[in-house]
Amino acid sequence: MSGAGPLTSVVLDYVRTMEELVPTATTPEDWAPLAEFVAVDDFERVGTFLEVQTWSAYTAMLTQWASAIATFETTVRRISEVDGLVYYEVEERHRAGDRVAVVNSMTVFAFDGTGRI
């Protein structure tokens, strides 16, 4: 993306890595390449229903999710970087066999002082 800030680039690299891992991830350890982008000891994910997950719980959830799909793709609709946050609005496509589930989502990535999610 032309003109993307440094944190926006981290988010885009994180998502590309996730898309690459989905077809082969079968254990929480398989998500280790994502940890390069994340402050895993301080990581907190707040989900759609306000559920809170640590990095360990999140990678366990990712493993379960990845086992149900073959590929995961995104199309960026809008992405903005402001004051240590990246607002990431996308169309997600989750493919499993002949099925394609399309989900529109918006994620806010918060960064620490070292540029980690």
Side-chain angles (χ1 to χ4, degrees):
M1 258 187 167
S2 178
L7 302 179
T8 298
S9 295
V10 171
V11 168
L12 294 173
D13 289 343
Y14 176 89
V15 172
R16 270 191 292 276
T17 302
M18 180 178 286
E19 290 173 352
E20 292 169 3
L21 292 172
V22 165
T24 59
T26 59
T27 70
E29 293 76 23
D30 293 334
W31 301 100
L34 287 182
E36 296 177 27
F37 301 97
V38 175
V40 296
D41 293 336
D42 299 321
F43 180 86
E44 181 178 86
R45 177 187 181 267
V46 180
T48 305
F49 301 104
L50 301 181
E51 69 279 13
V52 177
Q53 295 172 316
T54 62
W55 180 250
S56 177
Y58 181 58
T59 56
M61 183 208 56
L62 286 176
T63 302
Q64 184 176 10
W65 164 70
S67 72
I69 62 173
T71 62
F72 169 65
E73 305 162 348
T74 60
T75 300
V76 176
R77 297 294 183 214
R78 277 184 283 244
I79 190 165
S80 300
E81 182 177 323
V82 180
D83 297 332
L85 301 172
V86 174
Y87 298 85
Y88 182 68
E89 185 180 350
V90 296
E91 176 187 283
E92 300 177 6
R93 288 171 305 287
H94 308 248
R95 298 181 189 274
D98 293 338
R99 291 181 312 115
V100 179
V102 178
V103 176
N104 292 300
S105 71
M106 205 286 271
T107 302
V108 179
F109 290 86
F111 289 80
D112 69 9
T114 66
R116 291 187 169 241
I117 299 168

